[in-house]
């Protein structure tokens, strides 16, 4: 499995107020999208998320988002290594993702940009 990078997930109360700080910090513009009731802004290595507390409670349990070349390949390897797949692979606005619990209990989202 080829890991292309990782993004830090940050839940914020006020996305509009937070975006300018991270745009200046990362030196780039926010790519914005929604996942259900959650607004997301991707800026460099940061994923800012804002929405109902019931949604954010689950999102806070995911340690990071890991970009991979192929989510199906990640699914096979993670399963072979004893990880438990909680969700996915499922389509996202930019590709596909899955959420897995590693044998040590940590939770990660894996994403690709495959259509």
């Amino acid at each position: 499995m080829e890991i292309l990078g990782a993004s830090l997930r940050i839940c914020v109360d006020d996305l509009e107020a937070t975006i300018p700080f991270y745009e200046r910090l990362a030196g780039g513009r926010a790519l914005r999208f929604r996942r259900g009731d959650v607004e997301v802004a991707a800026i460099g290595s940061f994923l800012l998320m804002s929405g109902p507390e019931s949604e954010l409670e689950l999102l806070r349990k995911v340690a990071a988002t890991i970009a991979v070349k192929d989510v199906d390949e990640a699914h096979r390897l993670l399963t072979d290594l004893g990880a438990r797949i909680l969700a996915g692979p499922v389509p996202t606005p930019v590709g596909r993702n899955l959420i897995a619990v590693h044998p040590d209990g940590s939770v990660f989202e894996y994403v690709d940009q495959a259509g």
Side-chain angles (χ1 to χ4, degrees):
M1 171 180 71
E2 185 176 347
I3 295 177
L4 304 174
S7 296
L8 303 169
R9 302 164 62 94
I10 304 167
C11 296
V12 300
D13 292 328
D14 186 341
L15 193 63
E16 298 306 321
T18 306
I19 286 174
F21 172 85
Y22 283 94
E23 284 181 333
R24 294 221 30 222
L25 181 66
R29 303 281 302 156
L31 170 64
R32 300 188 57 164
F33 56 94
R34 291 186 73 84
R35 296 281 311 267
D37 293 333
V38 176
E39 291 183 80
V40 181
I43 309 166
S45 294
F46 301 100
L47 282 177
L48 307 177
M49 298 174 286
S50 184
E53 185 56 37
S54 59
E55 299 271 343
L56 296 180
E57 182 181 351
L58 175 62
L59 294 173
R60 283 187 183 100
K61 295 178 183 178
V62 179
T65 297
I66 300 171
V68 296
K69 189 171 184 177
D70 183 347
V71 162
D72 292 326
E73 182 182 353
H75 184 275
R76 286 188 296 275
L77 180 59
L78 288 162
T79 302
D80 289 348
L81 293 172
R84 185 169 43 100
I85 307 302
L86 295 180
V90 296
T92 71
V94 294
R96 298 173 302 154
N97 80 335
L98 68 80
I99 297 177
V101 179
H102 292 186
D104 64 10
S106 55
V107 181
F108 291 92
E109 175 187 34
Y110 291 81
V111 299
D112 69 18
Q113 293 186 348

